Amino acid sequence: RMQRPRDGRKWVKSNNSSRLVITSARPVVPMATASGRRDAVLLLSLGAAGGAALALLAGQFLDRRRRRRLLRGSSRRPSAGDARAACPPPSSLPAFAKDLECDPRLHRIRLREWEDAEWRASRGWKGRDLCHDPDGDAVRVLGYYYYDDRISASSGGDEAGNNGEGVGSTDKTRAGGHQLVGAVWFGPRAESHRGLCHGGAMSSLMDDFAGHCAFVTSDSPWSGATVQVNVALKRPVSIGSVLRIAGRVRERKGRKVFVEAVLDDGGGVEGEEPIVYATLEGLSIDGVKMSENEDAISTRTWEVEVCDRGKLHRRDSGWKIALT
């Protein structure tokens, strides 16, 4: 008895002989193959779900690690050279920097994202501020101070003989409008030539100053952006130097804010002109929306606060926004 093959062929009898021919009959698929396919699909699904879960966990882990890094700052152990160029404590700052903090006519500028690293990370920032990182080892702004002659002129001057005409005034920053002045430290990570600051670090400072000089004279922090920075580098800056930057809004034309500033040594010797290291002619645009986020951060305003030492602070309303 001839048995029919299971691969789609069949026996055909012709003249008392038999031969095997291929027909169009559909081959029989073993049950094990179909169940194997189902198992493979199930395994692939489980693998994809597991991979997604691992990716989520990895993202959360990296985010927590980034926040911890922001909170503790740089973990790099300083070298002997870094120690010699370390930022001096407040008691060892130049006289001009101490005077800025003590001058009753000046409002110290305080933005929460400069000082509160945990709040900064929780509100969407990805790292530290380039010029305002309190642990930064490159260019570190030790403080910006705002002078507004509309408020300060009524004081009539102080014991030092200042008459309300402006702070840190030079030929390029004569009072007659809003003014911003600050103290800046140039650290070892701003180095280029041996022992000297990189010109790009000085230009970054000027960029930062042009923006905040425009912002502080507007209704809210980060109310625009710097679009043009013309910096003239007059002389090299030694690593470890603490210098003064002073400037003002020279003119406003609609949304255009023209800023001028000088980077100098603060005039260490009485009666001598300050040594100028760089000058700025900058342009900022006011009222430019730089972020698509519409939240409490993007609608902050300026507030005036009196600290426990009686110092005026011009700070942002973000200090009232809770930490998430």
Side-chain angles (χ1 to χ4, degrees):
R1 182 179 179 183
M2 295 180 295
Q3 296 183 352
R4 182 174 181 176
R6 299 194 177 192
D7 56 0
R9 298 176 295 174
K10 68 178 181 178
W11 292 99
V12 178
K13 281 189 175 183
S14 176
N15 299 325
N16 297 324
S17 63
S18 300
R19 57 194 177 111
L20 189 62
V21 298
I22 299 176
T23 67
S24 60
R26 184 176 181 180
V28 179
V29 179
M31 293 299 295
T33 302
S35 62
R37 290 177 180 174
R38 287 195 296 270
D39 293 342
V41 171
L42 179 60
L43 289 175
L44 287 174
S45 301
L46 292 175
L54 288 175
L56 179 61
L57 291 174
Q60 293 174 347
F61 170 76
L62 292 175
D63 184 64
R64 286 195 297 269
R65 188 172 69 172
R66 178 179 62 84
R67 290 195 181 194
R68 287 196 299 268
R69 188 184 300 114
L70 286 174
L71 290 176
R72 67 172 178 263
S74 175
S75 60
R76 183 178 65 91
R77 179 175 298 178
S79 64
D82 291 348
R84 289 193 296 269
C87 185
S91 59
S92 301
L93 291 175
F96 80 85
K98 297 178 182 178
D99 292 342
L100 292 178
E101 185 63 28
C102 297
D103 196 320
R105 303 170 300 165
L106 296 177
H107 298 200
R108 184 184 178 99
I109 304 301
R110 295 185 62 199
L111 292 180
R112 189 171 181 179
E113 58 268 26
W114 292 351
E115 304 178 27
D116 190 340
E118 185 178 5
W119 183 86
R120 178 185 179 94
S122 71
R123 288 294 171 173
W125 276 273
K126 305 302 182 183
R128 292 294 187 97
D129 193 280
L130 177 63
C131 297
H132 297 272
D133 181 0
D135 299 317
D137 289 333
V139 181
R140 188 192 305 180
V141 176
L142 304 179
Y144 278 158
Y145 300 84
Y146 173 61
Y147 175 88
D148 186 348
D149 59 2
R150 295 175 302 178
I151 300 174
S152 302
S154 61
S155 65
D158 55 22
E159 295 180 358
N162 296 316
N163 60 2
E165 292 183 352
V167 181
S169 295
T170 68
D171 290 339
K172 297 288 288 183
T173 58
R174 192 66 59 185
H178 306 284
Q179 189 171 41
L180 192 67
V181 61
V184 186
W185 173 68
F186 293 89
R189 292 194 175 182
E191 191 173 35
S192 177
H193 290 279
R194 183 167 46 186
L196 300 177
C197 176
H198 196 292
M202 301 164 67
S203 299
S204 295
L205 168 67
M206 293 299 199
D207 183 356
D208 182 82
F209 186 87
H212 288 293
C213 194
F215 303 156
V216 79
T217 61
S218 300
D219 295 330
S220 61
W222 305 108
S223 59
T226 305
V227 296
Q228 185 173 326
V229 179
N230 296 327
V231 179
L233 304 176
K234 301 295 186 179
R235 63 177 63 232
V237 174
S238 297
I239 294 298
S241 300
V242 177
L243 301 179
R244 177 181 66 179
I245 183 168
R248 69 186 181 101
V249 173
R250 175 174 56 82
E251 183 182 9
R252 281 182 177 267
K253 287 185 178 180
R255 296 165 65 181
K256 294 182 178 180
V257 184
F258 297 88
V259 177
E260 58 185 14
V262 171
L263 178 68
D264 61 31
D265 68 347
V269 180
E270 185 176 357
E272 292 187 2
E273 287 293 321
I275 298 175
V276 176
Y277 289 84
T279 59
L280 162 72
E281 295 288 342
L283 172 63
S284 295
I285 304 298
D286 194 11
V288 177
K289 184 178 179 181
M290 298 297 294
S291 174
E292 297 298 328
N293 297 326
E294 292 291 347
D295 54 14
I297 302 298
S298 60
T299 57
R300 289 180 295 173
T301 57
W302 289 113
E303 299 177 346
V304 176
E305 174 205 34
V306 180
C307 71
D308 54 2
R309 294 183 291 107
K311 178 70 176 177
L312 290 173
H313 288 173
R314 186 173 176 84
R315 68 176 197 173
D316 68 288
S317 56
W319 290 93
K320 298 178 180 179
I321 302 175
L323 178 68
T324 57

